[in-house]
Amino acid sequence: MVALYSTPFSLSKLLSFCLFFTISHSDDFSALLAFKSKADTSNFLTSWSKNVPCSSWLGVKCHPITHRVIKIVLNHIHLTGSIYPLTHLTQIRHLSLHHNSLNSIPNFDFWPNLKHVYLSHNNFSGEFPQGIYRLKRLRRLDLSFNEFSGEIPVTELNQLPHLMTLRLEFNSFSGSLGADETRASVSFKEFNISGNNFNGKIPNWLSKFPVASFTGNVRLCGYPLRTICPSEMVNSNPTVMSTPNSQFNFPNQRKKNLRENMFLLIVTIDAVGVMMTVLVITWCCYYRKKNQEREIYALKNKHKYNQDMSSSSLYHSFEYGIKKTSDQFATMVCFEGCKGFNKVDDLLKASAEMLGKGSVGTSYKVAILDSGDVVVKRVIEKLKKMKDVDGFLRLIGNLRHTNVVSLRAYYYSKEELLLVYDFHPNGSLHNLLHGNHGPGRTPLDWTTRLKYALGAAKGLRVLHSYNKAKICHGNFTSSNILIDHYGNACISDICLHLLLQMPSSSNDGYKAPELSTQNNINTNQNPRKFSQKSDVYSFGVILLEILTGKIATSEGETSLAKWVQRVVNKEWTWDVFDFELARYKEMEDQMVALLKVAMACLVSSPKDRPKMIVVEKMIEDIAKKENR
């Protein structure tokens, strides 16, 4: 009898179990579609339209057994509005939505299993999100670069046993960070609250972090900051100031010894004073000499500064790169969009952060009060002896297009060239294609790659047809294609290599065959005769990067163009495409069509390559077919 009833009972439990997961899976599916309908106004999530989330949806990962959504990574795709629809994803472990425009955040009690939360660079506001301090499995929390305010639950966060990262910088949080007596039950590996309104003393258990973790909180004090807390100032007073006068009432028979001791004390104090004076004078002379040496050192431009310097040092390296004479107050040539600065000195007064050192100079992100962030490129290479460098720069400065990085201003002298551009926070196409391949990376989907290819083609076409001047770029690479706030591909560093006396690299994977030194020796041609057709060749290499995911020069210094040509000339294979595009096999026709465009740009003879207006039209036709 037991056997007769055990089977139906077990079967009913199994059916209930399956029904539970089916309903839960359906809830996840509906939640994602609801989120897409409200947040994806730019229609980046084109793959969220059929099948189920666990198959091929961009940025979505499911559990292999339960098929519940456990991970969402949707960064840099211009999402807007609220993330409330995602509260139905009760099994999610990893939520990454940084660099979007989201502005409403729910109670985190809906996500009890969260381990990783990355919500930086959005428009979230209000108080510290409710429920976060109850996420006992939480390991990483990044809410930086938002508009949160109010106090943070320090004591509660301190009780999360696995929390390793807490990043809250550049919000409007306030309040204290807790008392010294608080014993940390967590061991932070990464901690940053800079750019907020915290006050009071930094507790001892947080003092191990560097100054950069606390800067920008003007009412915060204690180590590692140099600001001494008021309580410490009181306690640091000499003991003699708080000692009762009765301790100095010596017996009469010891007055002589007292006078002798006082005399010795006065002599000692005088000696110490003289020594301190000598030390101060010596230090001032040394400091002045080092400043003079540093200024001369920078003016001669013999070396480059270390890229890992702090923000204040970056400011000085930027400042001392300009001659401290009348050039400091020289007027810059300004174009449309030049606000908040018109003199070199206006740039020097602003805070500057080094972005990197490229082939044409060093770039800084400079914060201008009325213009926001701009990029200042400092070129110290020798300029070509052109009759009208200013005229050429004015021509480029008046070029305005959605797919061209605008030159806002410049300063030109015999010593150097300063160029001011719009700041593009989303980085370059090169970094998006070949950058981080570790955990948390979101591969570029096919639609986005095709959009970038078309945008870069438009920008280069506009340059080639601009003002009937037959201008060419001269160094067109994937590093010179930047992505703006709206996801548009914009070409940058226009014509800089044409203005500079720079050696040409023999292993440059973007260089057209006619620019090769060996080819020009054989044909007696000018080895640096850049042209619009050499730009077209470089653009063909960029298309190959987009399609293959490989860099322009492969291992063993084999160019990408030669590798693709060798593969295509043999038997056609899917292996030529980036493995990250394998999930878009239904788009293979569009990929093949774009590959054919690239091969047309890469033909050996310049006269046989298409013009950019033709290339743009071909890619536009491919994009239209993809949208049908």
Side-chain angles (χ1 to χ4, degrees):
M1 293 295 293
V2 174
L4 292 175
Y5 287 102
S6 61
T7 301
F9 178 75
S10 300
L11 182 59
S12 64
K13 288 179 64 177
L14 179 62
L15 290 175
S16 300
F17 181 79
C18 294
L19 180 60
F20 169 77
F21 280 114
T22 301
I23 295 174
S24 300
H25 181 273
S26 177
D27 289 343
D28 287 1
F29 181 79
S30 301
L32 291 174
L33 288 180
F35 175 69
K36 177 184 184 302
S37 66
K38 295 182 178 180
D40 185 28
T41 57
S42 300
N43 198 29
F44 272 89
L45 303 178
T46 54
S47 61
W48 291 24
S49 58
K50 55 184 178 180
N51 300 324
V52 292
C54 305
S55 57
S56 60
W57 284 25
L58 175 67
V60 178
K61 182 179 179 180
C62 299
H63 192 279
I65 298 177
T66 64
H67 298 290
R68 298 294 307 277
V69 175
I70 60 173
K71 183 176 182 179
I72 291 182
V73 180
L74 299 171
N75 309 317
H76 293 279
I77 59 172
H78 307 289
L79 297 174
T80 61
S82 173
I83 62 175
Y84 182 80
L86 299 181
T87 55
H88 296 282
L89 307 178
T90 56
Q91 296 300 311
I92 192 168
R93 273 78 159 166
H94 186 119
L95 181 63
S96 182
L97 301 170
H98 61 76
H99 286 86
N100 283 293
S101 299
L102 298 165
N103 56 28
S104 181
I105 195 166
N107 191 317
F108 276 72
D109 285 334
F110 292 102
W111 297 311
N113 298 300
L114 268 178
K115 296 181 178 180
H116 300 267
V117 179
Y118 304 100
L119 300 177
S120 65
H121 294 85
N122 276 284
N123 299 324
F124 294 123
S125 60
E127 297 185 349
F128 190 86
Q130 296 182 7
I132 285 184
Y133 57 86
R134 287 191 284 270
L135 304 180
K136 298 302 181 182
R137 305 177 69 182
L138 189 63
R139 298 173 184 270
R140 312 279 186 184
L141 176 62
D142 187 353
L143 302 178
S144 59
F145 294 91
N146 279 288
E147 300 172 12
F148 289 114
S149 59
E151 298 185 359
I152 63 173
V154 179
T155 304
E156 289 82 358
L157 290 175
N158 187 35
Q159 300 304 315
L160 296 179
H162 304 293
L163 188 60
M164 295 184 293
T165 295
L166 181 62
R167 298 192 57 178
L168 306 175
E169 66 264 33
F170 292 97
N171 280 280
S172 296
F173 286 119
S174 58
S176 67
L177 297 176
D180 282 339
E181 291 75 16
T182 303
R183 293 184 57 84
S185 61
V186 296
S187 180
F188 288 131
K189 304 297 183 184
E190 188 178 10
F191 179 81
N192 197 322
I193 59 165
S194 60
N196 281 283
N197 300 315
F198 289 105
N199 59 67
K201 183 180 182 296
I202 297 173
N204 292 334
W205 64 282
L206 290 176
S207 62
K208 65 179 181 179
F209 293 99
V211 174
S213 295
F214 304 97
T215 56
N217 295 277
V218 295
R219 299 174 62 191
L220 206 59
C221 62
Y223 189 81
L225 297 177
R226 295 184 178 181
T227 306
I228 301 177
C229 296
S231 58
E232 294 176 344
M233 293 177 65
V234 172
N235 294 333
S236 64
N237 285 338
T239 307
V240 67
M241 298 298 293
S242 58
T243 303
N245 293 331
S246 59
Q247 294 187 15
F248 296 95
N249 295 328
F250 295 94
N252 293 332
Q253 61 266 29
R254 301 185 61 185
K255 288 183 178 180
K256 181 177 179 181
N257 292 336
L258 175 61
R259 287 195 297 267
E260 292 176 354
N261 290 337
M262 291 296 294
F263 175 78
L264 291 176
L265 178 62
I266 294 172
V267 172
T268 303
I269 292 175
D270 289 341
V272 171
V274 171
M275 291 178 62
M276 290 297 295
T277 303
V278 172
L279 288 175
V280 170
I281 294 174
T282 303
W283 181 83
C284 290
C285 294
Y286 173 79
Y287 183 78
R288 181 178 180 183
K289 181 179 179 181
K290 293 300 291 183
N291 270 350
Q292 291 173 345
E293 289 176 354
R294 183 173 63 172
E295 185 170 330
I296 295 172
Y297 181 83
L299 287 173
K300 291 183 177 180
N301 298 311
K302 288 184 177 180
H303 300 284
K304 296 179 179 178
Y305 285 102
N306 191 322
Q307 188 170 343
D308 295 325
M309 297 170 67
S310 65
S311 297
S312 60
S313 297
L314 290 173
Y315 169 80
H316 287 298
S317 69
F318 179 65
E319 178 181 12
Y320 285 112
I322 310 298
K323 293 196 301 182
K324 305 290 285 186
T325 59
S326 59
D327 286 1
Q328 180 181 354
F329 304 100
T331 301
M332 305 187 72
V333 178
C334 293
F335 304 105
E336 177 188 349
C338 177
K339 297 179 180 179
F341 61 95
N342 58 13
K343 291 183 174 61
V344 173
D345 187 57
D346 295 331
L347 296 178
L348 301 185
K349 291 179 180 178
S351 60
E353 174 187 350
M354 183 183 289
L355 296 176
K357 300 175 183 178
S359 58
V360 297
T362 305
S363 296
Y364 302 86
K365 183 176 76 170
V366 180
I368 304 297
L369 183 61
D370 296 330
S371 298
D373 292 335
V374 297
V375 172
V376 178
K377 188 180 292 291
R378 178 181 170 222
V379 182
I380 58 176
E381 299 287 346
K382 291 184 179 179
L383 296 177
K384 282 188 173 183
K385 294 182 180 180
M386 299 179 64
K387 294 182 180 180
D388 192 12
V389 173
D390 281 298
F392 191 80
L393 291 174
R394 288 175 187 271
L395 180 67
I396 300 300
N398 288 313
L399 175 57
R400 292 290 180 268
H401 190 269
T402 304
N403 300 108
V404 177
V405 177
S406 298
L407 176 64
R408 296 301 182 187
Y410 74 89
Y411 165 75
Y412 167 56
S413 71
K414 294 180 180 179
E415 307 295 333
E416 63 187 342
L417 176 65
L418 295 180
L419 301 166
V420 183
Y421 296 99
D422 288 338
F423 174 64
H424 290 69
N426 293 329
S428 68
L429 177 60
H430 183 276
N431 288 336
L432 292 174
L433 288 172
H434 314 303
N436 173 38
H437 286 273
R441 166 180 163 80
T442 302
L444 290 180
D445 60 75
W446 169 244
T447 301
T448 303
R449 297 190 194 211
L450 188 59
K451 176 184 177 181
Y452 291 164
L454 180 58
K458 288 179 181 291
L460 194 57
R461 186 266 303 168
V462 168
L463 176 65
H464 285 183
S465 59
Y466 178 56
N467 205 28
K468 298 181 180 180
K470 294 186 178 180
I471 302 174
C472 62
H473 189 286
N475 186 44
F476 198 48
T477 68
S478 59
S479 296
N480 288 329
I481 299 175
L482 306 181
I483 311 303
D484 69 7
H485 295 272
Y486 305 101
N488 297 313
C490 308
I491 65 174
S492 66
D493 285 0
I494 293 173
C495 308
L496 286 188
H497 275 63
L498 304 181
L499 293 174
L500 305 176
Q501 296 177 349
M502 299 186 63
S504 178
S505 172
S506 59
N507 295 322
D508 190 348
Y510 298 95
K511 187 166 57 178
E514 65 270 17
L515 301 178
S516 170
T517 303
Q518 185 63 39
N519 289 348
N520 287 303
I521 291 175
N522 297 335
T523 58
N524 294 321
Q525 295 179 1
N526 184 346
R528 287 185 60 81
K529 191 176 182 180
F530 294 101
S531 66
Q532 292 186 352
K533 289 303 182 72
S534 63
D535 282 350
V536 173
Y537 184 93
S538 300
F539 181 74
V541 177
I542 293 172
L543 291 183
L544 294 186
E545 287 186 84
I546 292 173
L547 288 164
T548 67
K550 300 180 181 294
I551 60 175
T553 303
S554 304
E555 295 183 4
E557 298 184 350
T558 300
S559 70
L560 177 59
K562 291 181 179 179
W563 177 79
V564 172
Q565 288 170 340
R566 185 167 61 249
V567 173
V568 173
N569 287 338
K570 293 181 180 180
E571 184 177 355
W572 171 254
T573 172
W574 177 263
D575 293 338
V576 73
F577 295 127
D578 188 353
F579 74 94
E580 292 181 342
L581 295 176
R583 53 181 173 163
Y584 303 105
K585 290 230 175 183
E586 70 276 11
M587 302 295 184
E588 183 176 359
D589 289 344
Q590 285 76 32
M591 298 179 196
V592 173
L594 190 63
L595 180 61
K596 290 180 179 179
V597 176
M599 302 308 291
C601 296
L602 295 171
V603 297
S604 299
S605 176
K607 62 182 179 62
D608 293 332
R609 297 172 200 152
K611 293 183 177 181
M612 280 308 302
I613 189 172
V614 177
V615 174
E616 178 193 357
K617 181 63 169 62
M618 290 190 291
I619 300 178
E620 202 168 45
D621 290 342
I622 297 173
K624 289 179 180 178
K625 292 179 182 178
E626 195 265 343
N627 291 329
R628 290 175 184 173

